[in-house]
Amino acid sequence: MRSTRLAVLDLARGLAVVAMAIYHFSWDLSWFAYVDWPVAQGTGWRIFAASIADSFLFLAGISLDFAHHTGIRWQAFWRRLGVIVAAAAAVSAVTYFTFGDTFVRFGILHSIALSSLIALPFTRLPVVFAVLAAALVFSLPFWAASPAFDGQVWLWTGLGTPGFASVDYVPLAPWAGVTLAGVAVSKIFRKLGLWQRLSGLTFSHRPGRLTRFLGRHSLPVYLLHQPLLYGLVWTAAQVGPEMDRSAIAFVRNCTASCQGTTATPDICQAACGCTLDYLKADGIWEKLLAEPENQSLRNQMSNRYSQCLADPEWQAPVN
């Protein structure tokens, strides 16, 4: 049976693609210290990133139900799954060579692949089963988390401490619950006749056509947009004025951490700048860049940070 595309779903997927590009471009600008936005640490940015991942996983569940609710189309399913798995492997490989140990071990594409496998049987079951399965997966972190799931082997579960930092991490729990929720909502919409009503929306104006085009080709856009955006910002960094990006990032991250204390933002920024001045003046900065995990150097940094926080007007000696 041939599936029918709904313009509203292509539009929703296209809007998610646009939001994703905005987030990644902001991340790139922050990574290269062109802006001081706390893209990696800020609560608002984290919520934005999570909402984008939610959108893709939720729409994956809806699409899964659309394609298989009258009967599982195995050939089409395995073909789509194979493409997603290959794309996920490519993302892991590229980010490994780009970001080293913070590469994507289990990101959004890995999660969509696993979630699709889990959610597929529920496309053929009554809606109540999809609702209960979604609730179960959402609840897993609250009662099934255990040190037994710590480490790399079980990182895909989301039930332990993986022990690594990653530029993208979207594990089974609770994210597969979003795909199951998408299956459930699709079934409910079908029972209420909402999909039939929404099929009349075409979004045929130019912005709508462009957004729907992005939605229809979301996977290649996903794979290509970040290398393109990152490459543009990297090129600008190479040809533009020289900047001490490590120092800028240090002050930015230090200030973000400091603002969780009782100090005011102005004092935090002054104290972090003061700490950086001291580290450079005493020759610690270059050593810390070369050995970021050296505990002795980190202790010296912490001591000077405490001194600067107590007296943010203190100035490090100039060599």
Side-chain angles (χ1 to χ4, degrees):
M1 175 180 173
R2 186 178 178 181
S3 62
T4 302
R5 299 192 72 93
L6 282 185
V8 67
L9 292 182
D10 285 335
L11 184 82
R13 195 176 289 106
L15 290 173
V17 167
V18 171
M20 173 183 64
I22 291 172
Y23 176 81
H24 283 157
F25 188 54
S26 301
W27 191 93
D28 295 338
L29 292 173
S30 175
W31 177 266
F32 283 94
Y34 280 112
V35 296
D36 60 357
W37 306 334
V39 179
Q41 301 91 3
T43 302
W45 285 101
R46 287 180 178 272
I47 293 173
F48 183 40
S51 68
I52 296 169
D54 279 338
S55 299
F56 282 113
L57 288 160
F58 185 75
L59 290 169
I62 291 178
S63 298
L64 201 66
D65 180 65
F66 255 79
H68 306 290
H69 72 278
T70 59
I72 297 179
R73 301 158 56 219
W74 289 107
Q75 185 176 358
F77 175 78
W78 291 121
R79 182 171 59 248
R80 173 182 176 273
L81 186 68
V83 170
I84 294 174
V85 169
V91 168
S92 293
V94 170
T95 54
Y96 176 79
F97 288 107
T98 304
F99 300 110
D101 196 48
T102 61
F103 75 99
V104 177
R105 293 165 171 83
F106 202 89
I108 183 65
L109 291 180
H110 306 71
S111 189
I112 288 176
L114 179 59
S115 298
S116 296
L117 278 171
I118 293 172
L120 181 64
F122 294 92
T123 63
R124 302 289 294 127
L125 295 173
V127 63
V128 64
F129 290 97
V131 171
L132 292 174
L136 174 66
V137 175
F138 280 131
S139 71
L140 283 175
F142 298 102
W143 58 269
S146 167
F149 294 106
D150 288 353
Q152 302 286 328
V153 174
W154 299 102
L155 65 90
W156 56 273
T157 66
L159 299 177
T161 301
F164 66 87
S166 177
V167 292
D168 188 27
Y169 179 48
V170 188
L172 165 71
W175 296 96
V178 181
T179 301
L180 287 161
V183 171
V185 168
S186 179
K187 288 181 174 296
I188 293 171
F189 273 35
R190 185 175 295 105
K191 285 182 178 295
L192 297 177
L194 294 179
W195 288 134
Q196 187 174 1
R197 297 180 192 177
L198 291 173
S199 65
L201 300 175
T202 60
F203 306 99
S204 57
H205 45 75
R206 183 174 297 178
R209 291 198 305 271
L210 176 59
T211 306
R212 287 190 292 114
F213 175 84
L214 294 174
R216 288 195 303 271
H217 302 89
S218 57
L219 182 57
V221 172
Y222 175 85
L223 294 174
L224 295 175
H225 84 285
Q226 177 63 332
L228 176 62
L229 294 175
Y230 186 89
L232 289 173
V233 180
W234 179 87
T235 301
Q238 303 309 305
V239 302
E242 185 175 353
M243 299 169 60
D244 189 349
R245 291 184 172 80
S246 296
I248 294 172
F250 171 82
V251 173
R252 182 182 64 225
N253 295 332
C254 171
T255 302
S257 299
C258 170
Q259 288 178 5
T261 67
T262 57
T264 66
D266 289 342
I267 290 178
C268 284
Q269 187 167 5
C272 292
C274 160
T275 303
L276 178 65
D277 289 341
Y278 174 83
L279 295 175
K280 287 185 174 182
D282 203 48
I284 298 175
W285 177 245
E286 294 298 328
K287 296 178 182 178
L288 194 58
L289 289 178
E291 302 178 71
E293 300 302 322
N294 187 307
Q295 194 58 49
S296 176
L297 296 175
R298 293 177 69 86
N299 288 340
Q300 294 179 64
M301 178 183 68
S302 297
N303 290 338
R304 283 307 174 182
Y305 168 73
S306 298
Q307 178 178 352
C308 289
L309 191 60
D311 183 11
E313 298 301 321
W314 178 83
Q315 297 294 318
V318 178
N319 288 342

